[in-house]
Amino acid sequence: VQLQASGGGLVQPGGSLRLSCAALGVAFSAKAVGWYRQAPGKQRELVAYMTSDGITNYADFVKGRFSISRDNAKNTAALQMNSLTPEDTAVYYCNVGRAGSHLSLPYYWGKGTLVTVSS
């Protein structure tokens, strides 16, 4: 299984970024997908997930600002991030679960993409 996250970069506070995740070698449509992040000196944390049925959930610190989506036809997932703050600075990782439920997360990890929010 290969997961490749992309779309990170430097953005000013209040700006937006859209992260993408491409999955290879996995029955993507049948799996839950999640986005995690790890800030310097902190533990990795769940940002958002979407089950195979399309149920979503967000961490409190991103509710109303971030949106997770998936395109099963393309085996991709995305994380739209708006109203970014410096506290959102982190390496963001895509993860695919063993099954369709969010309880199967995290399982398959890919390389992350760095998001830096700074003026």
Side-chain angles (χ1 to χ4, degrees):
V1 176
Q2 294 184 4
L3 300 175
Q4 183 61 57
S6 61
L10 175 64
V11 62
Q12 291 187 341
S16 299
L17 277 177
R18 184 177 179 84
L19 305 183
S20 296
C21 174
L24 297 175
V26 65
F28 185 76
S29 63
K31 311 296 186 185
V33 61
W35 285 95
Y36 293 73
R37 72 184 188 186
Q38 187 166 19
K42 295 188 177 181
Q43 291 188 333
R44 194 171 298 186
E45 58 187 357
L46 176 66
V47 175
Y49 68 74
M50 178 180 281
T51 68
S52 60
D53 293 334
I55 298 170
T56 61
N57 196 29
Y58 298 88
D60 286 344
F61 51 79
V62 303
K63 280 183 179 177
R65 299 189 298 126
F66 290 13
S67 179
I68 188 172
S69 61
R70 66 190 297 162
D71 185 338
N72 291 332
K74 297 181 179 179
N75 278 16
T76 59
L79 184 69
Q80 178 65 43
M81 307 186 296
N82 300 325
S83 302
L84 287 162
T85 73
E87 289 69 35
D88 295 316
T89 295
V91 177
Y92 284 72
Y93 298 87
C94 174
N95 189 281
V96 172
R98 289 182 296 107
S101 167
H102 69 283
L103 298 175
S104 70
L105 292 166
Y107 194 70
Y108 297 109
W109 289 105
K111 293 183 179 180
T113 185
L114 176 63
V115 173
T116 303
V117 185
S118 175
S119 56

